[in-house]
Amino acid sequence: MGTFGVPTKPKKQANGRWRTTVRYYGAGGAHQIERIGSSADDARNRLAEAMRDYRDQLGQGRITRTTKLIDLAAELLRELAGDDAYAAGNVEDYRREIYVSKDRRASRKTIKIENSLGRLQIWQATASELDRHLKHLVSLGLRRKAKQHKIILRAMMQIAVRHGVIDTNPIDGVGGFTRRRVTARGKVQDHGALPAFRAQVRAWARGEAIPGTPGYVSGPARDWTVVWVVDVITGTGMRPHEVFALLLDDIDLDASDPYLDVTGTLVEVKGEGSGGWVRKPAPKTDNGWRRILLPEHTVEAVREAIKDLEVTARPNPMGLLFPARNGSVRNPNNFGRIWRAARGESFAWVTPRTFRKGVATAVDHAYDDPERAARQLGNTREVAKTHYIDIPETVPDNRDVLEAWARGSREPKT
């Protein structure tokens, strides 16, 4: 098992070409390989190359060194879909970076694995070739996309390693991403901007003009939901997708301490059926399921949102706090357009996630307790400190030394 027989002597065919064959004895039984060449030696050489590159595989979808990367990516998606560790939303994140969107509104120039590396065969996907692709993305300012492609390509090429097509994963030879040095404008400034931002969003919702967005003239009335969403995020630290998955049954404003429970999030599912955004009945992480006590400004916003549902009597079969107009889950991408209009030019740097960071910073600064802030966000302490909490470094107290120096004294005060 696992060996080749003796190749047959090349035989001239009726069309003048030469044919030679050999049998491979593998786990699935004997398999015949044949090659045809312009001469006896050419046929022998072609068969020798085929024997060198042959890998014994069971099943119908064999992966070889000539398998294209786009087909290898399809194999990866099938594996992920069959793995319980990956939710439908995770698989969709991979799919979105692999295939070019068929949506007519999508730009055909958007770089995906399909239109950049998809035609390469596995043997052509060398470390230098993949490194060139990732560095090109970085040079275009697409740093996050480059990191996503590196993760996907690593998983793809690992399949090729597992199938014995290549010996090592070429991604291991790709250069790392250097850490960017950016000005720490920071979450402290975000926190300080909140009162002015809340006032501007309300002005926008009333139809007033704000910097970068003209006043309301005609068409559908402006969506006051953006006001309530701001107050929910700033009073809870919830992820934006968790906000749009909030259920009325998970909110109790009449309790002695009003609260809401985070029990789900939104994920985008495409490919199968009609696709679209769906509510996943579980938060993003194990730490995400939590009960949050609500400050007064958030209680007021939630009461107004519930009252609006009662007055408008819009369809809401799922019992969501912020449903779409037709009663389905609200599309975060569509809400993003409303958000950008409401923030205008003065707050162009603000995203729905900005004040989630501000919540963590405010809690940590008040209590000097990263663990407390992490629990508020539904994160681990390490994630909260790395990505959300803005803590300036406090230097030792050297005031007396510097004061003595400035006044010409020999010794500082003791």
Side-chain angles (χ1 to χ4, degrees):
M1 184 181 297
T3 62
F4 290 96
V6 178
T8 62
K9 183 178 180 180
K11 184 176 181 180
K12 193 171 185 178
Q13 306 298 295
N15 61 1
R17 307 280 286 176
W18 292 78
R19 175 178 179 270
T20 181
T21 64
V22 68
R23 282 188 175 275
Y24 177 82
Y25 300 93
H31 175 69
Q32 180 171 286
I33 305 173
E34 73 169 35
R35 288 296 183 268
I36 296 177
S38 57
S39 65
D41 287 340
D42 186 34
R44 289 193 189 95
N45 292 337
R46 288 175 181 267
L47 185 63
E49 291 177 355
M51 294 169 64
R52 177 198 64 194
D53 301 332
Y54 185 79
R55 296 291 186 275
D56 186 23
Q57 296 181 37
L58 301 177
Q60 296 179 350
R62 288 193 171 92
I63 295 175
T64 68
R65 69 192 302 267
T66 59
T67 298
K68 293 183 177 180
L69 292 195
I70 191 60
D71 297 325
L72 190 62
E75 177 64 23
L76 171 63
L77 292 176
R78 283 192 291 270
E79 288 192 2
L80 296 180
D83 190 338
D84 292 338
Y86 290 86
N90 301 134
V91 179
E92 180 56 32
D93 289 340
Y94 278 69
R95 188 191 307 278
R96 192 180 297 114
E97 283 302 327
I98 290 173
Y99 294 112
V100 176
S101 175
K102 293 183 173 58
D103 192 322
R104 289 180 297 178
R105 297 170 295 179
S107 172
R108 310 305 295 178
K109 295 181 180 180
T110 302
I111 301 176
K112 306 290 184 179
I113 290 177
E114 179 182 18
N115 61 3
S116 58
L117 300 172
R119 293 185 179 182
L120 288 182
Q121 297 177 358
I122 290 177
W123 70 273
Q124 296 172 318
T126 60
S128 61
E129 190 68 35
L130 300 183
D131 185 75
R132 190 179 302 113
H133 168 71
L134 298 176
K135 293 301 188 294
H136 176 61
L137 292 177
V138 173
S139 70
L140 295 176
L142 304 175
R143 188 181 186 86
R144 184 170 183 271
K145 180 183 284 287
K147 291 183 177 181
Q148 291 173 321
H149 281 207
K150 186 174 183 180
I151 292 172
I152 296 172
L153 288 169
R154 178 181 297 280
M156 288 168 50
M157 302 311 294
Q158 194 58 38
I159 294 177
V161 173
R162 207 165 57 240
H163 283 255
V165 177
I166 52 179
D167 295 327
T168 59
N169 194 321
I171 287 293
D172 292 339
V174 169
F177 298 107
T178 56
R179 183 179 295 276
R180 288 184 297 181
R181 295 180 178 272
V182 296
T183 303
R185 174 188 52 91
K187 305 129 197 175
V188 172
Q189 178 179 332
D190 297 344
H191 180 65
L194 177 57
F197 182 76
R198 291 181 70 219
Q200 176 177 293
V201 170
R202 279 166 170 72
W204 174 88
R206 289 192 298 265
E208 301 174 16
I210 62 172
T213 304
Y216 171 79
V217 177
S218 62
R222 289 180 170 175
D223 192 349
W224 198 270
T225 301
V226 67
V227 174
W228 301 324
V229 169
V230 169
D231 284 353
V232 170
I233 292 179
T234 56
T236 63
M238 293 173 65
R239 298 175 177 89
H241 289 183
E242 291 175 341
V243 172
F244 296 125
L246 267 175
L247 298 177
L248 295 173
D249 288 344
D250 292 334
I251 302 171
D252 189 347
L253 301 182
D254 298 324
S256 56
D257 294 312
Y259 68 86
L260 61 80
D261 291 336
V262 181
T263 61
T265 187
L266 296 190
V267 295
E268 188 177 17
V269 179
K270 291 184 179 179
E272 297 292 336
S274 58
W277 289 90
V278 298
R279 185 183 188 277
K280 173 188 171 186
K284 181 180 178 181
T285 65
D286 292 339
N287 296 308
W289 190 88
R290 60 203 188 278
R291 173 165 294 183
I292 303 176
L293 303 182
L294 304 177
E296 186 58 34
H297 78 282
T298 303
V299 172
E300 293 175 359
V302 174
R303 286 195 190 280
E304 291 179 8
I306 294 175
K307 183 65 175 178
D308 181 72
L309 290 174
E310 295 173 352
V311 171
T312 58
R314 72 179 66 173
N316 190 13
M318 297 179 63
L320 297 166
L321 177 62
F322 298 121
R325 293 182 184 274
N326 62 1
S328 63
V329 297
R330 185 180 288 263
N331 187 323
N333 297 331
N334 292 341
F335 180 80
R337 288 191 285 271
I338 299 174
W339 181 280
R340 288 188 290 274
R343 72 186 182 186
E345 292 179 351
S346 300
F347 297 96
W349 44 271
V350 176
T351 70
R353 192 174 292 272
T354 298
F355 291 119
R356 173 171 158 82
K357 299 177 181 180
V359 167
T361 299
V363 172
D364 181 72
H365 281 195
Y367 297 98
D368 192 21
D369 186 356
E371 180 67 29
R372 186 174 186 137
R375 292 177 63 185
Q376 179 79 32
L377 300 187
N379 279 126
T380 62
R381 184 176 187 275
E382 291 72 20
V383 170
K385 289 190 66 176
T386 302
H387 299 289
Y388 294 101
I389 299 173
D390 190 17
I391 307 176
E393 181 67 25
T394 301
V395 303
D397 187 354
N398 300 314
R399 291 175 294 176
D400 290 344
V401 173
L402 299 178
E403 184 68 15
W405 173 47
R407 294 184 179 278
S409 301
R410 288 181 175 275
E411 297 292 337
K413 296 179 181 179
T414 58

